[in-house]
Structures are given as structure tokens and as C-alpha cells.
Amino acid sequence: MVNATKGVFISCDIPMAQYIINMNASLPASDKFIIHILDNTHMFVQPHVEQMIRSRIAKFREDNTYVKPN
Amino acid sequence: MPEVRIIAKNFMDMVASMPAMKLDKLYENGFICEAILRSVPPLAKKYVIQMLHIDVPVAAKLLEEWVLPAGVSKHRVAIDRLVQLRVFLEAVDRKNEKTYKVNPTFQRSLQKLLVQGGTLPRESMPSNITVRLPTLENLEAYALEQWECFLLQLISPSQVEKPLNISSSLMKVFQRRILSHRDKEAPKLTESGFQFLLMDTNAQLWYIIREYISNSEDRGVDAADLISFMLELSFHVIGEAYSVDTLTSFQRTIINDLADLGLVKIQQGRKGSWFIPTKLATNLSMSLADSSSRKQGFVVVETNFRVYAYSTSKLHCEILRLFSRVEYQLPNLIVGAITKESLYSAYENGITAEQIVTFLQQNAHPRVAERVPSVPENVTEQIRLWEADLNRVEMTDTYYYDEFPSRDVFEGACDCAREWNGLLWEDSKKMHMVVKTEVHPYVRDYLRRQK
């Protein structure tokens, strides 16, 4: 019987993939979201975590920027 | 029937999309016929003039003999245009051959105009009443200033010192594709809105007028009357005064709206008021391709990402603020910097890196426009890289397939997903694959048929 699982397919560069894997590892077991790590640049994750990953990446980006005050 | 489907790109395309009865009514006015004649391709002009006094249908084949073989495509375009505008009426004669006949109403009106000459429905007022009319230079400056004030109110209402009289409902009509409204947030410029700002003045004017006319039926105004009046207006002389008191109340409303846009200037005298057409008004009957004039550039971008805009315009400042950090706003100079953060703010609004680069290149100050490149390459590349950085992670809704019973079923499923352009990833050893959510139903149906 063929099995089909719904989820989100992530395609990105290697450093970003490592960042996402590390994000997954730092969460408690009930919150882990990676279903399959397909290769260096692709992974398959839970359907509901797309927005969470995007906001975490955006926050990571913002932490490394500085805006000069007016 | 015309082979080209009508998409309204300019005024005349709106005319062409009107129903036949309204068009015939429109053509009772000789000046409108002249405006139509001005707007068509050169070959079409020749055909109209040539057939202006021919009352009987002319065979399509005969028309084709008037052009050299190399001109067949231009001939086709010209004929299609005339048929779209109902200047030529298409018919089939007794031999079952296609013929063209000049629209009788159009023919009569244009004949009368050319033979007898025409006077406008209203003449300019005598100069002893309208003392102190503005000069042509002042009038042009007024028109551009008014238009810019309108644009500023369109994209950034809070920046306007003295708001225009255009009703807020009409302003919303203009804004509906330019600004995006989210709950409890200030309106933000969309990708289309930024594209609108990149257009030259004439193209922007076409867009606004088109929205104005398209929305007219909602306001209980006949679009034909509106187009008729505007085309009439384009034949008035720039800088001459015409009495407002002779206008109907409907026309007076239009004149007030057009004054806000900068197409006319209204002046009040002791014995009444009058309006003065500007260059923008007379541009209405020109086709878009004819307007080759372009604004002079004002932006200098340096390799250190500093931006200097030599402009007195508040609108230019607001445009630059969309994607750069404006640090000083002096009377005739705007100083800013292109930063990663300001660009991210632009990208979040849907403005693209390519649009920003195009804007900077097209508005390069004359001193730097001659350089190659006019915008330093490190700046343009960095703008694109920062946009790419936002898109480093691609996420797609998908289904993950595994536990295939045999190699053949797996290969077949992969082929099926490939045919629907939905196969994103596969591992042929383990017989696993990932397909797009949209393609999942097709693969599922395929697998069911394999049982």
C-alpha cells in the first residue's frame, strides 16, 4: 500500500539547511518538525511550521543588522 | 471582426471598446472624428482620407492592392484598427467577398469639418475681460505642480499640505490597484503602484483618466458624454480662456475634477469665471507612442550607497523613502542612503529589486546618465543580492510518497508526476518521492488504476 504524507517541502542552500536542522534539534521532542532530511539542501517538514520557520529566519536576520538612529 | 482583442492602453482603446450605437453618436462631432483620425496608424490615415468621399463599399482585395507586399502586416494592423473604431464598417457583398465602407456618420462629420471648417462649441473669451492670464511657462509649471500634488495625495495622503477637492470615493477608485489596504495599517504602495510611479507623465495620465472614465457609469455619468467632452477639450487652445458659465452642470463637475489633476486652470473674474487648458489636456488626443518626452533625471547614486536627489519635489522624496533611508531633505536636495533595512521594507511591500534599479537608472541625473553604468554596479548587484537573500528558503506544500509495492509502480508514479510538472524530489533506491499538492490528486488516481 502506497503511503502519502502531507507536509512542506523545503529547498534552500546548505548553510540555511543546517540552520533549520539546528532549529529543529533545539526544540523539545513534541515540537520537532522535520519528518525527513532528504539531502544537504532539501527536507520535508510538518505542514503547520512554514510561518514559524519564516519568522525565525527573519528574526535571525534582524539580529544581525543595525539601524542607525535618526 | 478584428483579429486583435482590445485591451485599453490609451484613450482611443476606450473609444474602440464602446458599443456601436454610442460610437455613432460620438462621431456626430467633427472634432472627435479628427481626434480619431489623429490617433490611428499612418496607413490608416491614408485609407480614411482616400475613401472619405467614396460612398459605396470597397472590396478588401482592392485595398490590399494599394500596398506593396512588404507592407501587408502594417496594412492588416491599420484595417483592424479602423474596424475596431467602427470608422470602417465590414460587410460581405453579393459575390461573398469582404468589403469595407466608411462609417456614414463619421464620413459626413469629417467631410463637413474639412470642407466648411469648424468652430469649437465655445470660443475663447475676449482679452479685456480675462486680464492677467498666465503665460505658457507659468501654465505648464502649474499643470505639472498640480499633477504632482495629485500624485502625492494619491500615494501618501498624510504628506499633502492642502488636499485637493477630489472626492474621497473617487480617490479610492484611483488608488484601488496602487495601494494595498490592510486592517489597522497605513496603506502601502503595491508593486503595481510603484510601476505606476515609474511611468512617464503621459502614461500616468492615461491610467488615471481611464479609471475616471471606467468608473463614470457608477456615478451615473454616460461614458460617451465624458469621452466626448474630453476629446473636445483637447482641441481647445493652450493658454486661452474659455467661459465656465456656458458649461452644463455635468461639464462643470468634470472641469473641477480636471482642474485638480492639472489639465485645466480655473480663474475667477468679476464678471464670471473661466478655465484655461494646459498641455496635459491637449495631450489627451495624442496616441501614447507620440509622447516621447521624458522627465529630466535628478538622482545620483554613489558607490558607497549614498543617494543624492537634486529635486524640489516632495513626491520625489516620498518615492525615495520607499526604498532608501532619507537623511536630509533640503529645499532643492534630498540626501539618503540605500540600506539593507530600507530595501527589506520595500521588498515586503512587494516592490522588486528590478523595479528599484530601473527607477534609479531611468531617473539618473544628466551628469551621471552618460556614464556606463549610470548606477554603480556594486549598488545594483547588492540590491539584487539582498532580494535574493530574502528568498533563500523556498517552501512548497507537498505530499511525500513512500512504501511503493514495486519498481514499476514507482517509476509510473514518477512519470505521472513529471507529466503534471509536479515532481520535486525522488530517491529511486528507496523508492520515495515528493510531489506538489496540486498534482497529488492525479498521482492518487493513477495509483488507484494500478490496483
Side-chain angles (χ1 to χ4, degrees), chain A:
Chain A
M1 182 61 192
V2 180
N3 187 50
T5 307
K6 185 173 168 60
V8 170
F9 178 75
I10 295 182
S11 182
C12 56
D13 54 87
I14 291 173
M16 195 55 66
Q18 287 301 311
Y19 176 80
I20 295 174
I21 291 169
N22 181 69
M23 187 197 305
N24 180 71
S26 69
L27 293 172
S30 58
D31 290 333
K32 292 191 191 300
F33 54 83
I34 295 184
I35 301 172
H36 298 288
I37 298 178
L38 307 174
D39 55 35
N40 282 346
T41 57
H42 301 98
M43 62 193 74
F44 186 73
V45 302
Q46 301 280 357
H48 61 275
V49 297
E50 178 173 354
Q51 197 52 50
M52 185 270 287
I53 294 175
R54 288 206 185 280
S55 57
R56 287 281 288 266
I57 291 172
K59 184 175 183 305
F60 174 72
R61 190 188 304 118
E62 281 159 23
D63 288 348
N64 290 276
T65 64
Y66 168 75
V67 180
K68 179 166 67 165
N70 287 306

Side-chain angles (χ1 to χ4, degrees), chain A residues 16 57-68, chain B residues 304-306 321-325 327 336-348 351 353 356 379 381-392:
Chain A
M16 195 55 66
I57 291 172
K59 184 175 183 305
F60 174 72
R61 190 188 304 118
E62 281 159 23
D63 288 348
N64 290 276
T65 64
Y66 168 75
V67 180
K68 179 166 67 165
Chain B
N304 61 359
F305 293 82
R306 301 285 285 180
R321 210 184 289 276
L322 292 171
F323 58 85
S324 68
R325 178 188 151 101
E327 296 182 356
I338 291 173
T339 67
K340 188 181 183 184
E341 293 73 38
S342 63
L343 286 172
Y344 279 166
S345 174
Y347 299 147
E348 276 164 27
I351 299 172
I356 295 168
V379 177
E381 286 309 308
Q382 193 65 59
I383 291 173
R384 294 187 177 105
L385 280 174
W386 276 326
E387 186 186 46
D389 191 48
L390 270 184
N391 303 319
R392 288 173 78 181

